[in-house]
Amino acid sequence: MINRLKNNLREHLLATLLTIVAVAGSFLQVRAEDILSELAGTPGVNSKYLSGRIADKAMKHLDNTDLTDFILSDGFTSLYSYECYFIDATNRARNILNEYLKKHPELELIIKKIDSFGEYCVYQKYNKAGEVTQMIIWNSRMREYADIVVIDWKDGRKTKSDN
């Protein structure tokens, strides 16, 4: 009887431990698709996913997104682009991004430009080696229009100053 209780306790502890590890693991690496995934399929939103396998052709697939200052042909792991063209969709995207930024203070604001046309911001997350592992670009040209791009580099991407 005591052995059976010990075995049941061991099984219960093992199951609990495995559950904790699985849940914790899912929070460790938040990927691009998790940030704005609820926008996909929303009225007034066009969303695109690009695999890193086509990094050399990425700019051909992102015609509406202003990534002119960034070279994507040197590779990335995943890229998600969201084009919002209704004010409700743009506001929702802004709220989702603001909540994400609050929960992830490790994202550093790199560029911020506000003018009469709108707002342009670039956020980057770095690994311990100082390489970029995630970039988020917010480009809102009007209150009712925004492009949001989220790029991930699994192994990190060296910045120009590192080369």
Side-chain angles (χ1 to χ4, degrees):
M1 173 101 171
I2 293 176
N3 284 339
R4 197 164 112 197
L5 285 174
K6 285 182 184 178
N7 287 339
N8 284 344
L9 181 59
R10 263 191 223 133
E11 288 175 12
H12 180 68
L13 287 174
L14 182 60
T16 302
L17 181 61
L18 290 174
T19 302
I20 290 169
V21 168
V23 170
S26 69
F27 288 109
L28 290 177
Q29 283 292 326
V30 175
R31 303 311 306 157
E33 66 271 17
D34 296 329
I35 297 172
L36 295 163
S37 63
E38 65 185 83
L39 281 178
T42 299
V45 177
N46 289 331
S47 62
K48 292 180 184 178
Y49 162 77
L50 297 178
S51 166
R53 291 183 180 271
I54 63 164
D56 60 327
K57 299 172 185 70
M59 295 308 288
K60 293 177 187 173
H61 297 281
L62 294 170
D63 52 356
N64 294 327
T65 306
D66 185 14
L67 287 169
T68 54
D69 293 340
F70 302 100
I71 299 169
L72 297 176
S73 60
D74 59 354
F76 54 83
T77 304
S78 61
L79 185 148
Y80 286 78
S81 171
Y82 300 86
E83 179 186 12
C84 304
Y85 52 91
F86 287 152
I87 194 161
D88 291 341
T90 301
N91 288 340
R92 187 172 180 202
R94 183 182 300 275
N95 290 337
I96 293 168
L97 181 58
N98 286 341
E99 284 301 310
Y100 184 77
L101 292 171
K102 284 180 193 174
K103 292 176 183 175
H104 298 277
E106 69 275 11
L107 277 155
E108 184 178 330
L109 179 63
I110 301 300
I111 299 170
K112 184 169 188 172
K113 178 183 170 187
I114 299 175
D115 58 24
S116 59
F117 298 107
E119 179 181 37
Y120 179 80
C121 299
V122 177
Y123 301 89
Q124 291 184 346
K125 185 189 314 183
Y126 299 90
N127 62 17
K128 290 180 183 178
E131 298 168 332
V132 177
T133 58
Q134 186 174 62
M135 179 186 293
I136 301 174
I137 301 167
W138 172 270
N139 187 15
S140 177
R141 294 185 284 273
M142 297 175 264
R143 285 186 51 214
E144 66 274 354
Y145 187 87
D147 283 325
I148 309 98
V149 178
V150 183
I151 309 169
D152 285 316
W153 289 270
K154 179 182 168 194
D155 298 322
R157 175 184 183 263
K158 291 188 184 306
T159 60
K160 288 285 185 197
S161 61
D162 294 335
N163 293 335

